[in-house]
């Protein structure tokens, strides 16, 4: 549930109601053809753009039967934020199992279903599937202190492949919503035209399958600073639902003109996957030491990239390629245009000392514009042989590379050389004290643990 909590309900919604609806009503705002007669908007299946209830905001579902006979509709809320219980009881609305049925007994029957104005704000959308055509609208109202502040009427959606809608930046913020009902992505081109019809900006966009995408106009095209108004045209390779909305001091729907209901051939957008330079948690390791390898998969294209696999490699040089030694894989989900996915894997350093390079290559996806950039550069890791201490000599502790290592049950005596080298007397360790390994735990006087570190000296079990 989308909930806002502030001290003054009336005041806060005067401020946030337009941007809320701009960002959310657009997600479901309907499409209507230009200059249509009222009855031509009637449809059997209606997509209701935004249904909101709570904290001064109420929705009224307005449904009129335009068929010549009785009619019946199934009402389904899509986001599970609202249901029939959030609306006032109506004689023509009844619960039928998990669904809601709306009865329209004769031609011209009208139903107004009013929400209850709950204590918290809930936002949803709905579909209305009817046996015969109906005209459907959603009326959104905002009240504060018992007085109506603003209202917006949102008609049901139409679909098409090419739309044109007005852009009026001097009045308020302009938004576009595109709902892709298909099982695969839809590619669209967006053009911004001035009042004389000259194209001043354009860009391509990919809308993922089964999603509703809300975009501010400035996110779609680069609006020139001096742009005073005009129109925007959206041309897609398949039909989608799309519309515009203007959010200023008041809220106003700007349903675009449907220029074409047919699929239109446009230059398709395409994904382009790259793997940003890899990194490691440590670049100096001992053989067999654990470390973490990380990289970011980025879709630098302007089309949707399907799910794929990132393959991790170890190489003898800084050039990473699929011919190198594969050391693991990670699944990468679908990525929209310019989206990224951070990936990582836990590894252990190889048994061979020396310089090694690590990186990743992402498998290409369908429609990718180029695959020559799918591998990262390599990050260098220097591996040295793990410190191995010999057993104590004549009972004295033997230190190699600042480490005293003991086998299980072994013990040794701290020498004057160790006391002097590591200033052990400053931590109350003296010549003749005994270090030992018992039960996998190192012990020296009152010090104990998996490892003991004293002024740069490490004492541990082998």
């Amino acid at each position: 549930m989308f909930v806002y909590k502030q001290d003054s309900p009336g005041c806060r919604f005067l401020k946030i109601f337009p941007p809320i609806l701009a960002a959310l009503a657009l997600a479901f705002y309907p499409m209507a053809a230009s200059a249509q007669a009222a009855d031509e908007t009637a449809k059997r299946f209606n997509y209701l753009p935004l249904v909101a209830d709570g904290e001064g905001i109420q929705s009224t579902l307005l449904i009129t039967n335009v068929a010549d006979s009785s009619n019946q509709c199934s009402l389904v809320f899509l986001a599970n934020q609202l249901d029939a219980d959030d609306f006032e009881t109506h004689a023509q609305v009844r619960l039928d199992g998990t669904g809601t049925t709306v009865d329209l007994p004769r031609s011209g029957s009208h139903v107004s279903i009013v929400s209850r104005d709950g204590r918290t704000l809930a936002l949803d959308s709905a579909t209305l599937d009817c046996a015969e055509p109906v005209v459907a609208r959603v009326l959104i109202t905002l009240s504060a202190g018992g007085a109506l502040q603003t209202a917006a009427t949102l008609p049901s959606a139409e679909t098409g492949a090419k739309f044109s809608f007005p852009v009026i930046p001097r009045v308020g913020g302009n938004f576009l919503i595109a709902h892709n009902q298909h099982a695969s992505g839809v590619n669209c081109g967006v053009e911004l035209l001035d009042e004389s019809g000259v194209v001043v900006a354009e860009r391509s966009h990919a809308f993922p399958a089964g999603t509703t995408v809300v975009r501010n106009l400035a996110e779609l095209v680069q609006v020139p600073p001096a742009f005073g108004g005009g129109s925007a045209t959206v041309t897609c390779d398949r039909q989608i639902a799309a519309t515009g909305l203007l959010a200023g001091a008041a809220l106003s729907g700007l349903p675009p003109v449907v220029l074409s209901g047919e699929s239109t051939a446009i230059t398709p957008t395409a994904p382009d996957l790259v793997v940003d330079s890899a990194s490691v948690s440590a670049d100096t390791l001992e053989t067999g030491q654990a470390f973490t390898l990380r990289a970011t998969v980025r879709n630098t294209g302007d089309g949707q990239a399907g799910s794929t696999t990132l393959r991790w490699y170890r190489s003898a040089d800084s050039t990473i390629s699929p011919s190198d030694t594969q050391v693991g894989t990670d699944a990468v989900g679908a990525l929209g245009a310019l989206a990224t996915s951070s990936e990582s894997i836990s590894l252990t350093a190889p048994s061979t000392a020396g310089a090694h390079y690590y990186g990743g290559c992402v498998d290409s996806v369908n429609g990718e514009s180029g695959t020559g950039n799918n591998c990262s550069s390599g990050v260098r890791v220097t591996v040295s042989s793990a410190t191995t201490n010999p057993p104590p000599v004549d009972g004295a502790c033997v230190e190699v590379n600042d480490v005293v290592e003991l086998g299980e049950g072994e013990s040794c005596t701290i020498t004057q050389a160790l006391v002097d080298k590591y200033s052990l007397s400053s931590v109350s360790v003296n010549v003749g004290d005994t270090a030992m390994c018992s039960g996998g735990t190192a012990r020296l006087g009152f010090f104990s643990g998996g490892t003991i570190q004293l002024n740069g000296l490490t004492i541990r079990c082998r």
Side-chain angles (χ1 to χ4, degrees):
M1 181 178 292
F2 203 106
V3 179
Y4 287 85
K5 295 182 179 179
Q6 295 183 18
D7 292 336
S8 175
C11 179
R12 69 171 175 271
F13 282 113
L14 286 175
K15 296 178 179 178
I16 69 172
F17 184 66
I20 289 174
L21 293 181
L24 294 164
L26 278 178
F28 309 107
Y29 194 79
M31 193 75 232
S34 176
Q36 291 181 330
D39 58 359
E40 291 182 5
T41 66
K43 296 180 293 184
R44 287 186 60 253
F45 184 86
N46 288 267
Y47 188 84
L48 305 179
L50 174 68
V51 184
D53 179 68
E55 298 188 346
I57 295 178
Q58 286 185 286
S59 293
T60 302
L61 309 185
L62 306 171
I63 306 166
T64 302
N65 180 22
V66 297
D68 294 332
S69 59
S70 63
N71 202 349
Q72 191 174 85
C73 303
S74 174
L75 177 65
V76 178
F77 292 93
L78 302 180
N80 297 318
Q81 300 301 304
L82 294 170
D83 56 36
D85 290 334
D86 295 303
F87 290 79
E88 301 290 346
T89 302
H90 196 291
Q92 292 172 233
V93 179
R94 53 190 170 84
L95 295 177
D96 183 13
T98 58
T100 302
T101 299
V102 180
D103 292 318
L104 300 166
R106 60 187 178 280
S107 178
S109 293
H110 177 78
V111 176
S112 297
I113 311 171
V114 184
S115 67
R116 296 182 184 275
D117 191 12
R119 301 181 68 178
T120 57
L121 179 62
L123 303 169
D124 211 325
S125 60
T127 58
L128 190 69
D129 192 357
C130 304
E132 300 292 339
V134 300
V135 172
R137 300 285 188 271
V138 178
L139 174 65
I140 305 287
T141 60
L142 167 65
S143 299
L148 178 67
Q149 301 298 316
T150 188
T153 301
L154 310 178
S156 178
E158 296 283 352
T159 59
K162 187 173 183 179
F163 313 98
S164 178
F165 61 93
V167 177
I168 316 173
R170 62 184 178 274
V171 177
N174 290 264
F175 293 82
L176 170 72
I177 179 59
H179 179 72
N180 175 16
Q181 70 274 30
H182 301 288
S184 58
V186 171
N187 300 309
C188 299
V190 181
E191 292 181 331
L192 180 65
L193 298 86
D194 63 18
E195 292 183 346
S196 63
V198 176
V199 176
V200 296
E202 57 184 329
R203 188 181 176 189
S204 296
H205 290 270
F207 299 130
T211 60
T212 301
V213 180
V214 181
R215 292 289 185 269
N216 187 299
L217 182 65
E219 297 179 82
L220 296 172
V221 291
Q222 186 172 356
V223 181
F227 184 75
S231 63
T233 299
V234 180
T235 306
C236 303
D237 58 3
R238 278 186 293 174
Q239 292 190 19
I240 61 170
T243 195
L245 187 136
L246 180 65
L251 182 70
S252 176
L254 292 176
V257 177
V258 181
L259 300 178
S260 173
E262 300 298 324
S263 298
T264 306
I266 65 171
T267 303
T269 57
D272 186 15
L273 296 179
V274 301
V275 182
D276 289 348
S277 295
S279 64
V280 290
S281 56
D283 58 10
T284 301
L285 302 167
E286 293 183 348
T287 56
Q289 184 178 343
F291 69 101
T292 301
L293 173 62
R294 299 181 178 87
T296 299
V297 179
R298 186 182 305 274
N299 180 9
T300 62
D302 53 9
Q304 173 85 357
S307 56
T308 184
T309 300
L310 175 64
R311 304 183 186 276
W312 302 101
Y313 293 98
R314 184 179 71 244
S315 173
D317 54 45
S318 60
T319 301
I320 303 297
S321 74
S323 62
D324 292 322
T325 302
Q326 183 172 311
V327 293
T329 62
D330 265 327
V332 179
L335 294 174
L338 307 180
T340 62
S341 178
S342 298
E343 309 294 338
S344 64
I345 188 172
S346 296
L347 300 171
T348 56
S351 58
T352 304
H356 301 267
Y357 295 83
Y358 288 86
C361 297
V362 64
D363 290 353
S364 60
V365 296
N366 186 39
E368 189 165 355
S369 60
T371 58
N373 57 353
N374 285 34
C375 294
S376 74
S377 56
V379 57
R380 178 178 171 135
V381 172
T382 302
V383 179
S384 59
S385 297
T387 301
T388 301
N389 292 72
V393 178
D394 297 330
C397 296
V398 178
E399 167 266 330
V400 176
N401 295 335
D402 300 325
V403 175
V404 172
E405 201 169 58
L406 299 169
E408 179 65 29
E410 288 184 344
S411 62
C412 65
T413 302
I414 298 296
T415 63
Q416 185 66 54
L418 291 177
V419 172
D420 294 341
K421 182 176 181 180
Y422 298 100
S423 301
L424 297 182
S425 58
S426 66
V427 290
S428 301
V429 175
N430 302 304
V431 176
D433 287 350
T434 300
M436 67 180 64
C437 174
S438 176
T441 298
R443 292 180 171 83
L444 175 61
F446 53 82
F447 297 103
S448 66
T451 61
I452 300 172
Q453 293 183 322
L454 304 170
N455 297 343
L457 175 66
T458 297
I459 301 174
R460 67 188 182 197
C461 293
R462 183 175 292 111

